[in-house]
Amino acid sequence: MLVGIYMPAGTVQRGALPPVDGLEIYFLRHAIQGIAGSKTNTDTQFVWFYEEGEEPPVQEVPCEAIRRPASLFTLSHGSAPTLEEAVANRQVDVLLTRIDAPQPLPKTVPKVLFLLDMYFQGEAQLIRTPAPPLHRKIKQACTEAKSILCPSEYVHKTCSSRLGMGLEKAVVARPGVNPVFKEPQGSIIDGPFALYILNRYTESGIPTLLAAIEKNRELFPPSLVVLGNARGNEPDNWGLPVVRIEQCPDAMTASLMQHARMCIYLSKGEGSGMTVLQAMTAGAMLVTTKLGANFEVAGMVPFYCEPDNSYSLLQVLHRMLDESPKEREKRRQMAHSLIVDHTWERCGTKVFSALKRSQL
């Protein structure tokens, strides 16, 4: 079975937030490694389609450039084949793609849709206001898809109600975690620091963090490490001396999580819980929200606050810093019991099941 993967940076849904932080790529790259590691699916091969002019997104599988789709103001151009032509040329058996992919999807092959989160609905859905109407292409993609791949029960149930589809069409493939997060790592930052994980889910939490620092700077360590791709709403002044890291390997992320005095993840709509899993595995003192899949993944291990309430964040930080070593050890033991079943091999098996089922 040859599986084509198409995970573009654009989106067809008006008002949606484009997935520019590579989270889908990270998830699927590790899931593919999990499929390879299981050694039971040796007949499965992959080819990753990416748009002309961009860098190949992965090194683990063959990649092929395709022509960019036309838009309202620009024509499709370039020497590369279209997605439909590339799928036909490669004789792809099944196409794995995002639900809101901007390219016209080929009708000649079965499709499995991947939803890392519900951000394709637009930002309105995340603040509990009515979501905008679904684009007709999203409705059509859901109708034609053989199955929909979800990383959590949160996404599973939410997409079922939002898309009006039966639960039986969705497959839940929970993410794993790289074992490097539990291996002791040397510190790469001098002195005590707080860690803020920045991605599409936590960009809206920046004002809450800034307000908390302004209200009680003494509660925070002397410096702040901000980890994640640059975002449009980043401030010029974070209120603390900042070490800015845009991208780093998992071992460096593990080091930051292990040595941070506090790991702050003020997320909205987190669909997979990958970052929470990593922080739990690293033994981080994690402050996050109950929104999205966080509570489903982490239970009572993290300290929870409201994402838009700086007073809530400060109260939680006070409680976290007052915990005794015995209480912290109990929290780490709870984390270990929750993460033991989260492996990329198990995730890969679920992904493979969804792909194989599309052939029936």
Side-chain angles (χ1 to χ4, degrees):
M1 178 174 63
L2 179 59
V3 179
I5 300 176
Y6 173 54
M7 294 289 149
T11 175
V12 74
Q13 178 79 351
R14 180 178 296 178
L17 305 175
V20 296
D21 41 25
L23 296 175
E24 281 88 356
I25 293 173
Y26 182 94
F27 184 105
L28 291 175
R29 180 162 57 86
H30 285 81
I32 290 171
Q33 292 173 352
I35 292 174
S38 67
K39 299 180 181 179
T40 59
N41 311 311
T42 54
D43 65 327
T44 306
Q45 296 180 311
F46 297 88
V47 57
W48 200 299
F49 299 113
Y50 67 99
E51 291 177 356
E52 198 172 22
E54 297 179 358
E55 293 294 322
V58 294
Q59 298 178 338
E60 293 81 0
V61 300
C63 295
E64 180 176 340
I66 60 172
R67 195 180 309 165
R68 287 183 177 275
S71 69
L72 185 62
F73 302 105
T74 61
L75 297 175
S76 175
H77 64 276
S79 58
T82 64
L83 176 62
E84 187 167 11
E85 292 168 345
V87 165
N89 294 341
R90 289 272 189 167
Q91 297 183 318
V92 167
D93 296 304
V94 56
L95 181 66
L96 176 61
T97 187
R98 286 211 336 267
I99 192 171
D100 57 344
Q103 283 262 28
L105 299 179
K107 298 183 180 296
T108 54
V109 294
K111 290 172 281 293
V112 174
L113 304 181
F114 180 46
L115 275 74
L116 188 66
D117 50 51
M118 301 302 292
Y119 267 56
F120 69 89
Q121 301 178 104
E123 199 168 11
Q125 177 68 12
L126 304 177
I127 55 176
R128 299 185 177 90
T129 58
L134 288 175
H135 195 285
R136 61 178 177 80
K137 289 185 178 180
I138 292 180
K139 294 180 180 179
Q140 181 180 354
C142 291
T143 301
E144 296 176 354
K146 292 290 186 179
S147 59
I148 297 180
L149 196 61
C150 307
S152 65
E153 285 297 336
Y154 156 71
V155 173
H156 184 193
K157 293 176 181 177
T158 308
C159 77
S160 174
S161 60
R162 181 73 179 99
L163 303 176
M165 65 174 204
L167 290 173
E168 73 284 348
K169 199 168 188 177
V171 176
V172 177
R174 294 179 176 84
V177 60
N178 190 332
V180 75
F181 282 92
K182 64 182 176 183
E183 298 170 0
Q185 307 289 334
S187 180
I188 59 174
I189 303 293
D190 292 332
F193 64 94
L195 175 64
Y196 190 74
I197 309 292
L198 183 58
N199 56 30
R200 72 182 83 159
Y201 310 123
T202 61
E203 183 177 4
S204 62
I206 293 176
T208 303
L209 176 64
L210 297 181
I213 293 173
E214 184 178 3
K215 288 181 175 74
N216 192 346
R217 179 168 176 164
E218 290 73 24
L219 195 61
F220 292 84
S223 62
L224 175 69
V225 176
V226 179
L227 174 62
N229 288 345
R231 315 296 293 187
N233 291 335
E234 283 193 50
D236 295 328
N237 182 6
W238 287 82
L240 292 170
V242 168
V243 177
R244 192 64 179 85
I245 303 174
E246 290 205 16
Q247 294 180 336
C248 64
D250 280 351
M252 187 180 293
T253 302
S255 169
L256 294 170
M257 289 179 169
Q258 289 175 12
H259 293 279
R261 183 173 292 180
M262 55 186 68
C263 179
I264 303 174
Y265 190 63
L266 303 179
S267 64
K268 290 181 181 179
E270 160 73 81
S272 68
M274 282 193 296
T275 299
V276 170
L277 270 174
Q278 292 170 352
M280 289 168 59
T281 306
M285 297 301 291
L286 176 65
V287 178
T288 187
T289 72
K290 287 188 176 181
L291 301 181
N294 289 346
F295 188 75
E296 173 188 334
V297 169
M300 296 307 297
V301 172
F303 294 86
Y304 291 108
C305 71
E306 299 172 20
D308 298 320
N309 189 330
S310 59
Y311 290 103
S312 172
L313 174 57
L314 289 171
Q315 288 173 352
V316 166
L317 290 177
H318 271 294
R319 186 155 50 88
M320 183 189 75
L321 295 173
D322 287 342
E323 268 205 336
S324 66
K326 185 176 180 179
E327 289 172 320
R328 293 188 179 188
E329 181 56 31
K330 183 179 179 181
R331 203 175 283 273
R332 289 190 176 98
Q333 290 174 0
M334 282 195 299
H336 178 74
S337 65
L338 288 172
I339 63 179
V340 67
D341 291 332
H342 286 271
T343 66
W344 284 113
E345 287 76 15
R346 184 167 294 190
C347 175
T349 299
K350 289 286 188 176
V351 172
F352 175 78
S353 171
L355 296 171
K356 200 72 175 175
R357 196 167 76 178
S358 70
Q359 302 293 290
L360 300 178

